[in-house]
Amino acid sequence: MCVLAQVANGSWSQYIVGPQNRTVVPSSVLSIAGNVTNPEGLLPNGTGNTVLYRAEGDTDTNASAITIDFGINTVGFLSIEFAGATDNTPGIRLAFSETKQYLANTSDFTRSDNGDTITPGTDQIAVQASPYTWTDTNGCQSGTQVCADGLHGFRYLKIYLDALESDSPLAQSYGEVQISSISLNYTGYLGTPDTYAGWLECSDFQLTHFWYDGAYTNEMTTDTVRASDVDPRDAASPSLEGKTVLFDGAKRDRDPYVGDLAVSGRTEYLTHYTGTPALNILADLAAHQRADGWIPPASINNYTLPLFDYPLWWVVSTWDYVLYTGDVPTGSSLYPALLSVLDAFYPSVTNTTTLLLSKGLSNTGSYGDYAFLSRSAEVTYYNALYVHALQSASSLASALNHSDDASRWSARASNVSDAVNANLWDPSVGAYFDSTDTPEGMARHPMDGNALAVLGGVANQSRAESALGYLANATARDWGNAFMDDTSLVPDGDQRVYAFLSYFDIGARFRAGLVESAFDEVRRLWGWMSARDPGTFWEGIGEGGSLYEQGYTSMAHGWSTGVVGLLTEEVLGVKPLEPGYERFEVRPVLGDLQWARGRVMGRFGGIEVSWGVDGGAFALNLTIPTGSVGEVMVPADGDGKTVSVDGKVINGTVDGGYAMAGELEGGQHLITVN
């Protein structure tokens, strides 16, 4: 049909962002200062050595400096091939940055910013006279002198001839250094066309790019645990050493946080369908569960960092792992830990009068959350997340044939939902309060609690539309939607944007049928980040669209990759209903798009979808692997629509603007609406 012909051209693989092999080389020279000759010698097509020279007694640290751009944000171990140097062991200092804004004589982040002490802002080299290859390695040449961090996440690198006074006499601040080449050994997940199990392409070039920018951001955070480059705040763990995980960020903190996994895990399943990185985190945290049922958020602080919400994200992410991968036996092995979380720890922090979780009970007053916010008492976010976790646990229990647990948790979720509506709804603005402990005159209304209340069914349709409408009006910024509507909790609360939370907010808008609002937020948020340095997705956005923690901000953060899931599950329309996509839904949201196509991988094989619109006509091609069943719904708003499946007209029940096209089994199918 003509509506499908337009989606047949082009190749999705052209949008892949990341390196195609482990060796990443500079793409351009940004600047030079002082006495530098042949700077282009550092580039792939350059010839000859790049030479840096600084005279003895020269006090200008920019007397001999070159700044290079690797073309993309990247992560790994830098190697420099030195062609020689004067015999006084001249020093080279290296400053790394993910952005030009924070590119200076010191790195935007070194491990010293998180408590390590050996690298005061730069990595140091004492260059030897004879040719050799130096590889950035965590440690010092001698004692505490001439030290380096090892792994870095960065796009830009400044190389300058200088030495710390404390490194004398091992390194000197003058002399000549010759460099023949420079490269990076990339350590993230290598995303090549043959490793993409899932992919997406649509008629909006910008949205398509967001999907692949998100995929690459997540690839940067998918790495092996090495004690030398995880968070120095006691995050190194023998039980994780050598295993592949999803870190929170490539540059920092390099902790495998389970809250982040609620987004980054889904991104991994929908791109490369590799469950191992997520499972390694889930299993390790379960193994470190406290006797009272609390599960640590990550290995940081030797598994003791007290967060109130992350055990709930562990429950949600455990069900996600089973649902997307189909690995039900692992769900069974993690089930005892899940029982303890929901039936031991959280009942101990439940207000028996309101039936709501209340932070402060059982000595949890000092516990933080995803943003270390000083919330207390009955908080909408914690309780809406509790409902979400109980629903996830109920689904897992059903998959494991624990029907009594499934019923009990489902009933508790319903009771908590009722309590949220009874205690935390603010009729004056039509949205949920942040907390029952909000100071007089400071009634906050958060994105997190309201979004999860909609997604978990706590809010009915009327309240969902009201809450999301209020927040869209109160919090919309050019760079996304702020996570609060005021500044009473944090000074920039009505400016700060967390893409982590926006994933759930936008998902709530799709669920509530606020399609235009959902697409608008996607384009503002990920459009802001995609159009700016370094091209990957940021940990947080601050006032005026800035880096919310300046140079310390992680600019490649897995929890900010939710655009991958939103476009795959809403625009392409494919969502798992049973583990491993044994049963799945296809319900594409068209918005202002003309076509979309893509693939989602399940345990029986790839599910391929291609849809297009042309005037009043709609067509969808669907390939289902043998063993899976798809529940297909197609847009059919308005009168006089004829729905056909494989050439046969059907009487599909229309609900909410969609017609039920039936439950389709393995094979190729064509569904049309005319």
Side-chain angles (χ1 to χ4, degrees):
M1 292 186 63
C2 61
V3 293
L4 287 179
Q6 60 187 313
V7 307
N9 298 321
S11 171
W12 59 269
S13 62
Q14 67 185 299
Y15 300 103
I16 293 175
V17 177
Q20 296 303 287
N21 59 66
R22 291 284 175 195
T23 302
V24 183
V25 295
S27 64
S28 65
V29 175
L30 286 184
S31 65
I32 60 172
N35 201 329
V36 178
T37 58
N38 191 32
E40 288 76 17
L42 297 182
L43 303 181
N45 295 326
T47 58
N49 298 329
T50 299
V51 181
L52 292 81
Y53 173 78
R54 184 180 182 189
E56 184 174 3
D58 191 335
T59 59
D60 181 5
T61 56
N62 285 316
S64 181
I66 181 170
T67 302
I68 56 177
D69 179 5
F70 276 74
I72 57 172
N73 205 9
T74 189
V75 62
F77 296 96
L78 189 75
S79 287
I80 301 177
E81 187 175 341
F82 289 107
T86 49
D87 60 8
N88 64 318
T89 58
I92 287 290
R93 297 179 67 183
L94 305 174
F96 301 82
S97 181
E98 291 187 287
T99 65
K100 289 181 184 177
Q101 181 181 2
Y102 291 99
L103 180 62
N105 281 346
T106 55
S107 299
D108 59 1
F109 171 81
T110 59
R111 288 169 60 85
S112 59
D113 294 306
N114 275 352
D116 204 347
T117 59
I118 65 171
T119 50
T122 54
D123 287 19
Q124 281 63 237
I125 311 171
V127 184
Q128 308 304 303
S130 299
Y132 74 109
T133 300
W134 174 89
T135 298
D136 207 340
T137 304
N138 178 248
C140 303
Q141 180 177 321
S142 177
T144 59
Q145 289 185 295
V146 191
C147 303
D149 263 358
L151 180 139
H152 285 275
F154 68 101
R155 175 171 173 171
Y156 306 101
L157 173 67
K158 182 173 184 178
I159 307 166
Y160 60 107
L161 204 160
D162 189 29
L164 299 171
E165 289 186 13
S166 58
D167 284 345
S168 179
L170 294 181
Q172 303 295 326
S173 61
Y174 62 93
E176 181 181 281
V177 171
Q178 298 183 38
I179 303 174
S180 58
S181 68
I182 187 167
S183 63
L184 178 93
N185 177 26
Y186 174 74
T187 60
Y189 187 94
L190 196 61
T192 57
D194 61 317
T195 68
Y196 272 84
W199 51 269
L200 178 136
E201 189 176 6
C202 71
S203 57
D204 187 318
F205 180 77
Q206 184 186 47
L207 293 181
T208 301
H209 270 284
F210 294 169
W211 197 95
Y212 291 92
D213 288 344
Y216 177 56
T217 298
N218 218 50
E219 290 163 10
M220 283 184 65
T221 70
T222 307
D223 206 340
T224 302
V225 176
R226 294 171 292 267
S228 61
D229 53 69
V230 297
D231 192 330
R233 295 171 293 187
D234 294 324
S237 171
S239 59
L240 281 174
E241 184 73 17
K243 294 181 179 178
T244 302
V245 299
L246 284 155
F247 288 109
D248 55 346
K251 175 177 73 178
R252 58 142 284 270
D253 294 309
R254 297 191 66 81
D255 277 320
Y257 279 103
V258 74
D260 305 47
L261 200 61
V263 175
S264 63
R266 290 187 179 186
T267 301
E268 175 63 27
Y269 308 140
L270 295 173
T271 54
H272 302 291
Y273 203 63
T274 302
T276 301
L279 177 57
N280 284 338
I281 298 171
L282 296 168
D284 186 67
L285 295 179
H288 289 86
Q289 186 173 33
R290 213 164 58 190
D292 65 353
W294 179 83
I295 283 184
S299 58
I300 184 174
N301 294 354
N302 289 322
Y303 298 93
T304 64
L305 181 67
L307 299 188
F308 193 79
D309 53 341
Y310 273 35
L312 294 172
W313 285 122
W314 182 90
V315 173
V316 170
S317 296
T318 295
W319 169 237
D320 275 357
Y321 170 78
V322 173
L323 179 62
Y324 284 85
T325 68
D327 185 3
V328 176
T330 290
S332 181
S333 70
L334 296 174
Y335 196 74
L338 186 146
L339 277 166
S340 188
V341 171
L342 294 179
D343 290 350
F345 178 70
Y346 282 104
S348 76
V349 292
T350 296
N351 183 319
T352 56
T353 300
T354 64
L355 302 181
L356 294 171
L357 300 182
S358 183
K359 190 163 83 73
L361 296 178
S362 299
N363 299 312
T364 58
S366 63
Y367 281 40
D369 56 23
Y370 65 89
F372 302 98
L373 302 171
S374 56
R375 292 160 154 171
S376 59
E378 290 83 9
V379 176
T380 299
Y381 160 60
Y382 300 149
N383 283 282
L385 176 56
Y386 190 28
V387 171
H388 188 27
L390 287 165
Q391 292 168 342
S392 296
S394 180
S395 296
L396 179 58
S398 295
L400 297 174
N401 297 315
H402 297 307
S403 56
D404 289 346
D405 290 339
S407 298
R408 179 165 51 83
W409 287 329
S410 181
R412 195 192 305 175
S414 180
N415 291 337
V416 175
S417 294
D418 291 343
V420 169
N421 281 305
N423 292 277
L424 287 159
W425 179 255
D426 181 1
S428 69
V429 302
Y432 292 98
F433 285 117
D434 184 43
S435 168
T436 57
D437 193 34
T438 303
E440 187 71 25
M442 295 183 179
R444 296 186 299 268
H445 306 90
M447 172 188 282
D448 52 16
N450 280 275
L452 287 171
V454 174
L455 284 175
V458 175
N460 60 26
Q461 183 66 23
S462 175
R463 287 194 170 185
E465 292 179 7
S466 174
L468 295 172
Y470 166 76
L471 288 174
N473 290 327
T475 67
R477 306 289 178 260
D478 290 343
W479 51 93
N481 286 8
F483 86 124
M484 290 284 171
D485 64 344
D486 77 354
T487 60
S488 61
L489 193 61
V490 291
D492 64 342
D494 63 351
Q495 300 290 316
R496 185 185 300 182
V497 173
Y498 286 113
F500 170 59
L501 301 180
S502 299
Y503 168 68
F504 302 103
D505 183 66
I506 296 167
R509 294 178 189 280
F510 277 119
R511 178 187 172 108
L514 304 176
V515 174
E516 184 177 348
S517 176
F519 274 103
D520 172 64
E521 190 175 350
V522 166
R523 288 176 168 129
R524 279 185 290 113
L525 170 57
W526 281 287
W528 186 270
M529 294 187 287
S530 186
R532 288 166 174 79
D533 240 358
T536 45
F537 294 147
W538 316 357
E539 178 184 13
I541 308 175
E543 188 169 0
S546 62
L547 283 62
Y548 87 123
E549 291 185 322
Q550 294 79 52
Y552 184 77
T553 305
S554 166
M555 302 301 285
H557 226 66
W559 79 356
S560 297
T561 63
V563 68
V564 172
L566 291 168
L567 294 179
T568 296
E569 299 193 337
E570 301 295 346
V571 171
L572 195 63
V574 183
K575 296 179 182 176
L577 299 176
E578 294 181 3
Y581 292 86
E582 183 170 355
R583 196 172 195 87
F584 63 93
E585 172 187 272
V586 179
R587 186 182 183 275
V589 178
L590 311 187
D592 57 3
L593 302 179
Q594 295 302 305
W595 58 266
R597 65 179 188 140
R599 181 176 64 200
V600 174
M601 185 61 66
R603 70 187 185 97
F604 294 107
I607 300 163
E608 296 198 10
V609 174
S610 176
W611 63 256
V613 293
D614 185 6
F618 172 87
L620 184 147
N621 263 329
L622 173 63
T623 300
I624 302 175
T626 301
S628 289
V629 175
E631 297 181 9
V632 183
M633 285 163 281
V634 291
D637 54 335
D639 297 326
K641 300 287 186 177
T642 300
V643 179
S644 299
V645 177
D646 298 332
K648 181 179 179 181
V649 176
I650 64 167
N651 294 316
T653 303
V654 177
D655 181 27
Y658 282 80
M660 181 66 183
E663 297 185 354
L664 306 181
E665 297 183 346
Q668 292 187 331
H669 304 278
L670 174 63
I671 301 94
T672 61
V673 182
N674 292 296

